[in-house]
Amino acid sequence: MTQYWLMKSEPEEYGWHDLVRDGEGTWDGVRNAQASNNLKAMRTGDLALFYHSRTGLEAVGIMRISQTAFPDPKDESGRWVAVKVTPVEPLKKPVSLKAMKLRPGLGDMAMLRQSRLSVAALSADEWAEILAMAGNAPGQRA
């Protein structure tokens, strides 16, 4: 069964267009225990929203987990993990953090309750709601 995620990246460091250009990216540098546990829980084929943090503050695209957790190549301690992701499609229109906060159906979303969490799980209903807000077909599962 597909799981859904929201993954944050600063667009100045690595944005949606970088992932599209590269065709596959390594999601590394996560140094929060809960976010790292979320990376470890991902399975190949899971879907994630690419969220631009700091600048933009909006979900901009859909990506697929293409490789499950492996040791983060940037971590000399061996404690942290990374995953690989591939772009699926851009959202038809970005969905801002402000818009998400205004939707009652998203009130329990982990990212809204823990704003510093860089990798968060989404329920199937939260996923469908955000895709509908983006103008994608309601209930679309990419």
Side-chain angles (χ1 to χ4, degrees):
M1 186 166 118
T2 301
Q3 298 179 97
Y4 302 101
W5 307 94
L6 184 143
M7 300 168 73
K8 295 180 181 179
S9 181
E10 296 175 19
E12 300 82 14
E13 297 292 322
Y14 194 81
W16 171 253
H17 295 294
D18 297 310
L19 177 61
V20 171
R21 176 197 67 219
D22 296 347
E24 182 176 60
T26 300
W27 209 272
D28 55 17
V30 173
R31 300 295 183 265
N32 170 283
Q34 186 174 358
S36 182
N37 286 339
N38 287 337
L39 290 175
K40 291 173 186 174
M42 292 176 176
R43 298 291 167 250
T44 302
D46 283 356
L47 296 170
L49 290 172
F50 193 118
Y51 179 90
H52 281 164
S53 62
R54 277 211 192 155
T55 305
L57 301 178
E58 58 192 4
V60 297
I62 299 170
M63 51 191 179
R64 188 176 316 278
I65 308 308
S66 56
Q67 184 178 339
T68 57
F70 57 91
D72 185 332
K74 294 181 178 175
D75 173 35
E76 294 179 12
S77 76
R79 176 178 177 199
W80 305 104
V81 299
V83 298
K84 289 199 178 269
V85 295
T86 57
V88 174
E89 64 184 2
L91 294 181
K92 291 182 179 175
K93 72 175 190 189
V95 179
S96 71
L97 175 62
K98 183 177 180 179
M100 289 182 215
K101 286 181 175 181
L102 293 173
R103 291 298 269 250
L106 299 177
D108 289 332
M109 201 166 86
M111 196 258 310
L112 297 181
R113 289 184 286 113
Q114 298 171 275
S115 62
R116 297 195 42 86
L117 189 60
S118 63
V119 179
L122 292 173
S123 71
D125 289 342
E126 290 165 343
W127 176 264
E129 180 94 9
I130 293 170
L131 290 187
M133 293 168 71
N136 293 55
Q140 180 179 346
R141 304 281 190 227

mmCIF file of all heavy atoms in Angstrom, residues 21 30 34 45 63 70 92-95 98 106 121 124-125:
data_model
loop_
_atom_site.group_PDB
_atom_site.id
_atom_site.type_symbol
_atom_site.label_atom_id
_atom_site.label_comp_id
_atom_site.label_asym_id
_atom_site.label_seq_id
_atom_site.Cartn_x
_atom_site.Cartn_y
_atom_site.Cartn_z
ATOM 1 N N ARG A 21 15.611 18.436 -13.364
ATOM 2 C CA ARG A 21 16.822 18.455 -14.196
ATOM 3 C C ARG A 21 17.640 17.175 -14.001
ATOM 4 O O ARG A 21 18.101 16.568 -14.961
ATOM 5 C CB ARG A 21 17.674 19.675 -13.838
ATOM 6 C CG ARG A 21 19.014 19.754 -14.581
ATOM 7 C CD ARG A 21 19.988 20.701 -13.923
ATOM 8 N NE ARG A 21 20.371 20.157 -12.614
ATOM 9 C CZ ARG A 21 20.540 20.906 -11.526
ATOM 10 N NH1 ARG A 21 20.367 22.203 -11.551
ATOM 11 N NH2 ARG A 21 20.881 20.333 -10.377
ATOM 12 N N VAL A 30 19.282 15.166 6.395
ATOM 13 C CA VAL A 30 18.239 15.209 7.427
ATOM 14 C C VAL A 30 18.889 14.852 8.765
ATOM 15 O O VAL A 30 19.462 13.775 8.916
ATOM 16 C CB VAL A 30 17.090 14.235 7.079
ATOM 17 C CG1 VAL A 30 16.091 14.145 8.221
ATOM 18 C CG2 VAL A 30 16.419 14.661 5.787
ATOM 19 N N GLN A 34 13.018 12.292 14.283
ATOM 20 C CA GLN A 34 11.694 11.921 13.779
ATOM 21 C C GLN A 34 11.671 11.931 12.249
ATOM 22 O O GLN A 34 11.126 11.022 11.625
ATOM 23 C CB GLN A 34 10.627 12.865 14.331
ATOM 24 C CG GLN A 34 9.228 12.431 13.954
ATOM 25 C CD GLN A 34 8.160 13.283 14.615
ATOM 26 O OE1 GLN A 34 8.447 14.188 15.388
ATOM 27 N NE2 GLN A 34 6.924 13.004 14.291
ATOM 28 N N GLY A 45 8.273 3.377 -4.308
ATOM 29 C CA GLY A 45 6.947 3.601 -4.880
ATOM 30 C C GLY A 45 6.083 4.540 -4.063
ATOM 31 O O GLY A 45 5.075 5.043 -4.566
ATOM 32 N N MET A 63 6.768 13.625 -6.114
ATOM 33 C CA MET A 63 7.907 12.761 -6.400
ATOM 34 C C MET A 63 7.631 11.366 -5.852
ATOM 35 O O MET A 63 6.751 11.171 -5.024
ATOM 36 C CB MET A 63 9.203 13.350 -5.849
ATOM 37 C CG MET A 63 9.186 13.756 -4.420
ATOM 38 S SD MET A 63 10.669 14.710 -4.031
ATOM 39 C CE MET A 63 10.325 15.040 -2.310
ATOM 40 N N PHE A 70 19.252 4.384 2.982
ATOM 41 C CA PHE A 70 20.631 3.904 2.952
ATOM 42 C C PHE A 70 21.466 4.920 3.724
ATOM 43 O O PHE A 70 21.006 6.042 3.968
ATOM 44 C CB PHE A 70 21.136 3.722 1.509
ATOM 45 C CG PHE A 70 21.065 4.966 0.663
ATOM 46 C CD1 PHE A 70 22.145 5.845 0.584
ATOM 47 C CD2 PHE A 70 19.902 5.263 -0.052
ATOM 48 C CE1 PHE A 70 22.076 6.993 -0.198
ATOM 49 C CE2 PHE A 70 19.821 6.414 -0.830
ATOM 50 C CZ PHE A 70 20.915 7.281 -0.899
ATOM 51 N N LYS A 92 -0.248 21.453 -10.492
ATOM 52 C CA LYS A 92 -0.784 22.408 -11.462
ATOM 53 C C LYS A 92 -0.688 23.836 -10.945
ATOM 54 O O LYS A 92 -0.458 24.766 -11.717
ATOM 55 C CB LYS A 92 -2.217 22.044 -11.837
ATOM 56 C CG LYS A 92 -2.260 20.768 -12.644
ATOM 57 C CD LYS A 92 -3.645 20.396 -13.082
ATOM 58 C CE LYS A 92 -3.568 19.109 -13.896
ATOM 59 N NZ LYS A 92 -4.870 18.611 -14.254
ATOM 60 N N LYS A 93 -0.870 24.001 -9.640
ATOM 61 C CA LYS A 93 -0.574 25.290 -9.013
ATOM 62 C C LYS A 93 -0.023 24.988 -7.626
ATOM 63 O O LYS A 93 -0.494 24.069 -6.946
ATOM 64 C CB LYS A 93 -1.783 26.216 -8.975
ATOM 65 C CG LYS A 93 -2.854 25.835 -8.017
ATOM 66 C CD LYS A 93 -3.959 26.885 -7.979
ATOM 67 C CE LYS A 93 -4.869 26.546 -6.821
ATOM 68 N NZ LYS A 93 -6.066 27.306 -6.761
ATOM 69 N N PRO A 94 1.000 25.728 -7.207
ATOM 70 C CA PRO A 94 1.573 25.479 -5.880
ATOM 71 C C PRO A 94 0.523 25.652 -4.783
ATOM 72 O O PRO A 94 -0.410 26.454 -4.924
ATOM 73 C CB PRO A 94 2.665 26.548 -5.761
ATOM 74 C CG PRO A 94 2.994 26.917 -7.169
ATOM 75 C CD PRO A 94 1.700 26.788 -7.920
ATOM 76 N N VAL A 95 0.687 24.897 -3.706
ATOM 77 C CA VAL A 95 -0.210 25.000 -2.557
ATOM 78 C C VAL A 95 0.598 25.577 -1.401
ATOM 79 O O VAL A 95 1.534 24.944 -0.909
ATOM 80 C CB VAL A 95 -0.812 23.630 -2.179
ATOM 81 C CG1 VAL A 95 -1.713 23.766 -0.958
ATOM 82 C CG2 VAL A 95 -1.581 23.048 -3.357
ATOM 83 N N LYS A 98 0.084 28.846 3.905
ATOM 84 C CA LYS A 98 -1.063 29.617 4.380
ATOM 85 C C LYS A 98 -2.376 28.939 3.982
ATOM 86 O O LYS A 98 -3.287 28.801 4.802
ATOM 87 C CB LYS A 98 -0.997 31.036 3.825
ATOM 88 C CG LYS A 98 -2.087 31.938 4.316
ATOM 89 C CD LYS A 98 -1.922 33.349 3.779
ATOM 90 C CE LYS A 98 -3.029 34.248 4.287
ATOM 91 N NZ LYS A 98 -2.880 35.617 3.812
ATOM 92 N N LEU A 106 -7.003 19.670 6.997
ATOM 93 C CA LEU A 106 -5.561 19.499 7.151
ATOM 94 C C LEU A 106 -5.068 19.873 8.544
ATOM 95 O O LEU A 106 -3.869 19.896 8.801
ATOM 96 C CB LEU A 106 -4.815 20.339 6.091
ATOM 97 C CG LEU A 106 -5.115 19.978 4.639
ATOM 98 C CD1 LEU A 106 -4.370 20.914 3.704
ATOM 99 C CD2 LEU A 106 -4.779 18.528 4.342
ATOM 100 N N ALA A 121 4.820 12.412 7.447
ATOM 101 C CA ALA A 121 3.814 11.545 6.829
ATOM 102 C C ALA A 121 2.555 12.346 6.536
ATOM 103 O O ALA A 121 2.233 13.308 7.240
ATOM 104 C CB ALA A 121 3.487 10.384 7.764
ATOM 105 N N ALA A 124 -3.847 9.511 3.499
ATOM 106 C CA ALA A 124 -4.398 9.483 2.140
ATOM 107 C C ALA A 124 -5.368 10.638 1.936
ATOM 108 O O ALA A 124 -5.408 11.239 0.849
ATOM 109 C CB ALA A 124 -5.073 8.142 1.882
ATOM 110 N N ASP A 125 -6.142 10.982 2.961
ATOM 111 C CA ASP A 125 -7.084 12.096 2.851
ATOM 112 C C ASP A 125 -6.353 13.435 2.729
ATOM 113 O O ASP A 125 -6.758 14.300 1.945
ATOM 114 C CB ASP A 125 -8.032 12.139 4.055
ATOM 115 C CG ASP A 125 -9.044 11.004 4.038
ATOM 116 O OD1 ASP A 125 -9.262 10.394 2.967
ATOM 117 O OD2 ASP A 125 -9.610 10.716 5.106
#
